[in-house]
Amino acid sequence: MAKSIVSPIPGVFYRRPAPDKDVFVKEGDQVKADDVIGLVEVMKNFYEIKAEADGVIERFLVEEEGLLDSGQEIAILIEK
Amino acid sequence: MPRYEYGGDEFIFVELAEEMSLEVNFQAMAITKKLREENAADILDICPSNASYMVRFNPDSIHPDALISKLKELEKSVSMDDFEITSRLVDVPILFEDPWTHEALIRFRDRHQDPESTDLEYVARINGFESTDALIKGITDYPYLVSMIGFVPGLPWCYQMVPREKQIEAPKYVRPRTFTPERAFGFGGAFAVIYPVQGAGGYQLFGIAAAPIFEKDSKLVDFKEDMTFPRQGDIFRYRSITREEYDSIRQQVEEGTFRYVTKDITFKAQDVLENPKAFSDDVLRRLYS
Amino acid sequence: MIKVKNPGLQTTVQDYGRIGFYEVGMPPSGAMDKYSYTASNLLVGNDENAAVLEVTYLGPVLEFQQDAVIAITGGEIPPKINGEPVSMWETLSIKAGDELSFDFVKGGARVYLAVAGGIDVPQIMDSRSTYTLCGIGGLEGRALQAGDVLQVGTDHHHVVKSGTRILEELIPVFSKRHEIRVVIGLCSYRLTEESKERFFSIDWTVTPEANRVGYRFKGERLNFVEREQPFGAGSNPSNVVDLGYPIGSIQVPDGIEPIALLNDAVTGGGYATVCTIISTDLNKMAQIKTNEKVRFIPVAIEEALQARKEHKQKILQMKKHIEGNLEGQMNG
């Protein structure tokens, strides 16, 4: 079942833990519930976005450093 | 002519002059001192600054225009001829060209006017000093008036008590740094400052103060009554120290035994304005006697 | 006692603010949306200056370890007790062992949680407000963390009946576009006439850094009148000789991005300030999120004072309504 992962907060979306690091997950990767798939930066704080269930990240809907609104969809997760 | 401006419905801002001078700073001090003495219940904050001052008031009890009229009256009634300031002379030990601010200034070289020099080298050159040592001598030879407090709690803006032609001037960074070490000694515009806490900043970095100027729960005697040490009207003498003395002061701070060398002083604004050099020489003699 | 199971994004203890220390560089801090803050305290019978929790964007998960009377006001971050939705802007009873949590933010940005008696933390310079930049006030000078335990104080004088609600017409409605009124002045003479006109005619977007110190806006570059800089001001045309910044004042460093200073403001510095948000609209600013649009509207001082009167009138109306729903007086 396809499920969208949404950001609870507005901010800037990052797929990597740091500019010189690899992305947390690639499209098509397997993830487990509570795996971090990205970060949202707001008020100079970083908030971790986690997968809510086991599955496969089908695709990201926001690009690196894209601006997010609260409630905006970040990625599509195909649940196992 | 002073400009009286609304800062929304809760503040009045009064610009006494667009440019900085000892004279205009004393004037702001004199007006705000008198205003403070009136103890008006509808005034919440009185903030003297370098060439201006600001008042926060309660608009439910006084109309801003009524307050402006009152401030204009007050300004007329203040005479600078016999204005006296009671404050402290303070010895402020600075380690110039220290490793901590050096690391910070190197990290943000891409935000500086001159990425090839250090901040001290750059400011020495644009002010016509032959060396960084000559600039340090220029900074430490004459004392500074604490002309304003703010930005963050306790940050003192310090204006050197020398004639205009001897004032050192420096631009701020092209883009501000996102990091400045705590107690960094910086210079921007015509002002020397000490950063009370770590944080952003745009002043040229010359060194680091050995002792704190802000302590929220300190054992030090100088912070028993207030978290912040500097007060407007204080006279700071920045003294260049060795790494050895720096380490020794740091240890005293850690142990809670450090105390600033200070002398109480009452002086006439006119005496400073008439002969800043004689005043400065006298002040230094008294501080270390 | 209240146990913090999850702190949310940034949850701090705030009261009316630390007033009277601006001259030493100490900003007032305090609740950013004073209207919602006051309503929350009124609904639980607290003193008007009692400390509450200010929640930003993402709510905490709190476990109450005692029975308590609470009220949640402000932006729309829907609260739940033991997973069941409960009303905002209403006096609620919560039992020992109950868990308070929140859904995702739907509107506005900040929520106020008042507990009858107030949050009890030490007073620093006459206030319990948290000022995180210097680590002062609140709980150890910082935002809440998981595992923290909050004590309930005694700052209340009335018992308000459960189910008491703020009148519907007094509950603010939140949108994603905002009009914020300002009084022009301070150093507005530094902007060119054209830039002044542009400042008031474009939509400004709130950037992600926006926090309690200030909000930064993206829009377009503004220009300053060319001049020889006054002595001591610094070389950038946006520089002035360092001066005091009113709360709510707007500056435009280097003409690039305007910054509105708010409750945890830096109190002074060397950038030309061009206008000041009126005190009533500072409450509205507190409820604006990153990425939302703001239009600044210039008003005369009399309009600012009138808005302030209307604001006070609304608070008075709330008070009267709640006074009709009391169960009793507290002693002392």
Side-chain angles (χ1 to χ4, degrees), chain B residues 3 5-13 15 17-21 36 44-52 54 56-60 63-65 113 148-155 157 159 164 167-174 176 188-191 197-198 203 214 216 226-228 230, chain C residues 18-28 124-125 131 133-136 140-141 183-190 227 230-236 239-248 254 265-271 273 275-280 282 301-302 304-305 308-309 312:
Chain B
R3 287 192 308 115
E5 297 276 336
Y6 305 119
D9 48 332
E10 292 191 344
F11 289 84
I12 298 291
F13 168 74
E15 184 184 75
E18 282 185 24
E19 58 171 37
M20 179 61 188
S21 64
R36 207 167 278 134
L44 305 175
D45 282 296
I46 299 169
C47 311
S49 41
N50 289 321
S52 56
M54 192 170 77
R56 185 179 189 190
F57 62 101
N58 177 4
D60 304 329
H63 192 284
D65 291 338
Q113 288 82 356
M148 170 177 174
I149 310 275
F151 184 61
V152 291
L155 182 142
W157 269 272
Y159 188 70
R164 168 73 60 91
Q167 293 279 350
I168 298 158
E169 267 202 293
K172 293 155 197 170
Y173 271 45
V174 178
F191 301 96
V197 289
Q198 174 187 315
Y203 279 29
F214 169 83
K216 54 180 172 160
D226 293 307
M227 290 180 198
T228 54
Chain C
R18 193 166 281 118
I19 315 280
F21 303 95
Y22 215 65
E23 66 165 311
V24 298
M26 185 69 74
I124 307 289
M125 299 166 100
Y131 172 42
L133 202 72
C134 283
I136 288 169
E140 296 170 10
V183 176
I184 305 177
L186 306 172
C187 305
S188 60
Y189 69 94
R190 291 296 303 125
R227 66 168 175 181
F231 179 77
S235 52
N236 191 284
N239 284 151
V240 289
V241 168
D242 303 64
L243 39 71
Y245 295 149
I247 300 292
D254 199 24
V266 290
T267 67
Y271 290 110
T273 44
C275 61
T276 311
I277 298 168
I278 69 171
S279 60
T280 310
L282 287 173
I301 188 74
E302 288 308 328
L305 293 170
R308 191 181 171 94
K309 270 195 196 117
K312 298 252 156 188

Side-chain angles (χ1 to χ4, degrees), chain A residues 6 8-12 41-45 47 67-70, chain C residues 9-10 56-58 104-105 110 176 208-211 289-291:
Chain A
V6 302
I9 55 171
V12 183
E41 184 187 14
V42 74
M43 299 187 296
K44 298 170 188 169
N45 284 313
Y47 178 80
L67 282 179
L68 289 171
D69 281 331
S70 55
Chain C
L9 190 66
Q10 195 196 35
T56 309
Y57 294 143
L58 189 74
F104 292 169
V105 57
R110 289 181 170 82
K176 291 189 171 187
E209 299 95 335
N211 62 13
K289 280 195 286 294
T290 286
N291 292 346

Side-chain angles (χ1 to χ4, degrees), chain C residues 1-74:
Chain C
M1 288 196 306
I2 303 166
K3 202 174 159 201
V4 180
K5 293 177 81 172
N6 179 325
L9 190 66
Q10 195 196 35
T11 303
T12 55
V13 177
Q14 300 293 345
D15 62 11
Y16 205 82
R18 193 166 281 118
I19 315 280
F21 303 95
Y22 215 65
E23 66 165 311
V24 298
M26 185 69 74
S29 300
M32 287 180 71
D33 173 0
K34 291 279 177 1
Y35 183 80
S36 302
Y37 159 79
T38 303
S40 72
N41 270 332
L42 287 173
L43 282 168
V44 298
N46 275 355
D47 296 343
E48 278 181 50
N49 192 30
V52 307
L53 293 183
E54 180 181 271
V55 169
T56 309
Y57 294 143
L58 189 74
V61 179
L62 304 172
E63 185 187 298
F64 281 73
Q65 300 185 327
Q66 64 185 82
D67 292 357
V69 172
I70 64 169
I72 300 154
T73 61

Side-chain angles (χ1 to χ4, degrees), chain B:
Chain B
M1 273 296 285
R3 287 192 308 115
Y4 291 81
E5 297 276 336
Y6 305 119
D9 48 332
E10 292 191 344
F11 289 84
I12 298 291
F13 168 74
V14 185
E15 184 184 75
L16 297 170
E18 282 185 24
E19 58 171 37
M20 179 61 188
S21 64
L22 285 168
E23 194 167 5
V24 74
N25 187 253
F26 286 137
Q27 197 191 352
M29 243 186 254
I31 294 169
T32 51
K33 179 171 181 245
K34 197 151 181 194
L35 185 60
R36 207 167 278 134
E37 285 163 1
E38 289 190 2
N39 256 327
D42 35 32
I43 291 180
L44 305 175
D45 282 296
I46 299 169
C47 311
S49 41
N50 289 321
S52 56
Y53 68 94
M54 192 170 77
V55 174
R56 185 179 189 190
F57 62 101
N58 177 4
D60 304 329
S61 62
I62 185 167
H63 192 284
D65 291 338
L67 180 56
I68 288 176
S69 304
K70 187 173 155 171
L71 295 176
K72 284 182 176 167
E73 284 303 310
L74 194 75
E75 185 205 318
K76 271 189 235 155
S77 74
V78 168
S79 153
M80 293 307 292
D81 298 342
D82 48 7
F83 177 53
E84 277 191 347
I85 296 160
T86 297
S87 66
R88 304 169 297 181
L89 307 174
V90 187
D91 172 69
V92 185
I94 303 288
L95 178 63
F96 284 89
E97 299 182 286
D98 66 292
W100 305 280
T101 57
H102 185 77
E103 193 190 327
L105 70 89
I106 292 300
R107 201 172 126 197
F108 294 102
R109 225 57 219 139
D110 59 331
R111 302 182 181 213
H112 195 273
Q113 288 82 356
D114 181 0
E116 305 302 315
S117 314
T118 65
D119 293 9
L120 208 54
E121 286 165 356
Y122 167 71
V123 176
R125 191 174 71 239
I126 63 167
N127 280 277
F129 287 97
E130 66 214 20
S131 65
T132 53
D133 282 347
L135 171 60
I136 293 170
K137 188 170 180 322
I139 292 168
T140 52
D141 267 359
Y142 292 99
Y144 287 74
L145 177 70
V146 175
S147 55
M148 170 177 174
I149 310 275
F151 184 61
V152 291
L155 182 142
W157 269 272
C158 302
Y159 188 70
Q160 202 167 26
M161 298 171 105
V162 294
R164 168 73 60 91
E165 63 276 11
K166 292 199 74 175
Q167 293 279 350
I168 298 158
E169 267 202 293
K172 293 155 197 170
Y173 271 45
V174 178
R175 284 182 302 131
R177 296 175 302 271
T178 53
F179 172 79
T180 309
E182 176 185 305
R183 290 179 282 107
F185 175 74
F187 210 101
F191 301 96
V193 303
I194 296 172
Y195 289 88
V197 289
Q198 174 187 315
Y203 279 29
Q204 306 286 335
L205 295 178
F206 292 169
I208 194 158
I213 53 163
F214 169 83
E215 286 277 274
K216 54 180 172 160
D217 26 43
S218 169
K219 298 174 293 212
L220 301 182
V221 181
D222 290 319
F223 298 87
K224 276 278 176 294
E225 282 170 25
D226 293 307
M227 290 180 198
T228 54
F229 177 74
R231 296 177 207 148
Q232 200 201 26
D234 280 348
I235 297 172
F236 279 12
R237 193 278 169 116
Y238 289 115
R239 182 167 57 86
S240 177
I241 59 170
T242 60
R243 179 65 194 259
E244 258 180 316
E245 184 174 355
Y246 178 87
D247 289 339
S248 147
I249 292 172
R250 288 311 301 156
Q251 195 182 342
Q252 291 170 45
V253 171
E254 295 299 317
E255 288 165 357
T257 55
F258 175 81
R259 185 166 197 173
Y260 277 103
V261 173
T262 65
K263 286 268 157 62
D264 291 337
I265 183 175
T266 296
F267 62 98
K268 275 193 166 160
Q270 279 305 341
D271 291 346
V272 183
L273 297 174
E274 274 162 22
N275 194 342
K277 182 165 187 321
F279 179 82
S280 294
D281 289 340
D282 179 48
V283 154
L284 292 183
R285 254 196 312 276
R286 286 167 68 175
L287 177 56
Y288 299 113
S289 67

Side-chain angles (χ1 to χ4, degrees), chain C residues 177-301:
Chain C
R177 302 181 69 85
H178 308 268
E179 292 196 342
I180 294 293
R181 291 167 290 184
V182 301
V183 176
I184 305 177
L186 306 172
C187 305
S188 60
Y189 69 94
R190 291 296 303 125
L191 284 180
T192 62
E193 283 307 313
E194 196 197 347
S195 282
K196 250 184 257 180
E197 197 273 318
R198 293 302 293 159
F199 182 76
F200 292 111
S201 44
I202 70 166
D203 283 334
W204 294 95
T205 306
V206 178
T207 68
E209 299 95 335
N211 62 13
R212 289 182 48 88
V213 177
Y215 273 36
R216 192 187 276 262
F217 301 91
K218 269 199 188 337
E220 56 184 63
R221 198 184 172 102
L222 299 177
N223 297 304
F224 292 89
V225 176
E226 278 184 37
R227 66 168 175 181
E228 190 185 327
Q229 285 290 92
F231 179 77
S235 52
N236 191 284
S238 65
N239 284 151
V240 289
V241 168
D242 303 64
L243 39 71
Y245 295 149
I247 300 292
S249 64
I250 297 179
Q251 52 182 265
V252 200
D254 199 24
I256 296 174
E257 288 175 348
I259 298 172
L261 291 173
L262 301 170
N263 296 51
D264 291 358
V266 290
T267 67
Y271 290 110
T273 44
V274 296
C275 61
T276 311
I277 298 168
I278 69 171
S279 60
T280 310
D281 285 2
L282 287 173
N283 304 311
K284 283 206 255 172
M285 276 298 298
Q287 297 295 355
I288 299 176
K289 280 195 286 294
T290 286
N291 292 346
E292 292 182 352
K293 305 273 187 227
V294 174
R295 188 63 78 94
F296 294 107
I297 312 288
V299 297
I301 188 74

Side-chain angles (χ1 to χ4, degrees), chain C residues 1-2 46-47 50-51 66 115-121 128 150-157 330:
Chain C
M1 288 196 306
I2 303 166
N46 275 355
D47 296 343
Q66 64 185 82
V115 180
I119 303 296
D120 189 19
V121 291
R128 295 190 166 89
L150 298 166
Q151 305 290 336
V152 176
T154 54
D155 289 344
H156 54 147
H157 50 267
M330 299 300 300

